[in-house]
Amino acid sequence: QEQRAAPGANIVALHSLARTMPRLAARALALIASAQAFYLPGVAPRDYMDSDKVEIRVHKLSSPRTHLPFDYYSLPFCRPDNLVKQAENLGEVLHGAVIQNSPYEVFMGRSEFRIACRVELTKAQKITLSQRVRQDYRVHLIMDNLPAATKMIAEMADGTKKDMYDRGFRLGFLGSKDIPGTEPTKPYVNNHLRFIVKYHRSDTFPGSRIVGFEVEAYSVKHTYEGQWDEKSPKLTSVPLRPDLAPMLAWSNEIVYTYDVVWEHSPIAWASRWDLYLYMGDDQVHWISLVNSLAVVLLLTGVVAMIMARTLRRDLNRYNSLSTSRGAQS
């Protein structure tokens, strides 16, 4: 009887497989089409011609103290008219990073000063901004798939000096006696950004390729003439000077500005990530480690449970077959 039942089962299996084959083929074709249509930025270099717009996207706020990230627009920053979420590469898609557009307008080869916006703060926004500054939060931006970095000069053990980099830039700082124009323990916000964009040119490709994105953050208490004019504001604090007072985080309004500086670099596009190997952040991310360990333990438990149930089922089936054969004999 067992030999007669086997061919019937094979026929049923072949019939079900024949019905599912067209569905599998359609799904495979859909995956191939979507893979051809899905573009992964950062895989191939992008060539910029003079005056081409270079997008700057915002990422997140992070702190080495709290290890809790926040959305960039959770603070009173300048916003574009329409917020668009767009990941830059496949890693950011898998990681679930929130990449959004920004109001910064940067054009290839143009070194200029711009006013981003003026923001009036509510009491709740003042409290949140001051708290984030005290918690040493950093702001993360992205340009051409490169994260913004802050350049530092570190002194090595042998007395030599070496350029180090930190991802992002500081949201602000606390005043102290060593910083002129500040009051001790009061939070100040960095409201002026200097984008230092490094580009590389070669005869092998047209235009320029971005190979570096550095940010220098400053705190400047901007002043302006008369009432604020959104179309053509007239700042009296420009050009920036060392004697200008810094911007308190607990203020009724903040004027955000930025300027762009372009520097030619001999670094090739394929080697532009090398400088990120010299990151100065040596903080241990305990939350990430505990999260990864918990996921590994959970998956290990699930696999062990599945294997235990499978082995138990096989052993029960083997024991029942042995019992039935012994009874027949």
Side-chain angles (χ1 to χ4, degrees), residues 17 71 74 92 128 180 220 274:
L17 181 62
D71 180 67
S74 63
E92 293 168 354
T128 304
V220 181
D274 292 350

Side-chain angles (χ1 to χ4, degrees), residues 275-324:
L275 66 89
Y276 293 93
L277 299 176
Y278 303 100
M279 285 292 175
D281 185 13
D282 55 353
Q283 296 287 334
V284 180
H285 294 204
W286 293 108
I287 293 181
S288 300
L289 292 176
V290 172
N291 185 30
S292 301
L293 182 60
V295 171
V296 170
L297 293 177
L298 177 62
L299 294 179
T300 303
V302 171
V303 172
M305 186 182 300
I306 294 174
M307 292 183 64
R309 294 183 63 181
T310 303
L311 290 174
R312 185 182 302 172
R313 190 185 303 114
D314 293 343
L315 289 175
N316 293 335
R317 185 179 302 171
Y318 176 77
N319 292 331
S320 62
L321 290 177
S322 300
T323 304
S324 61

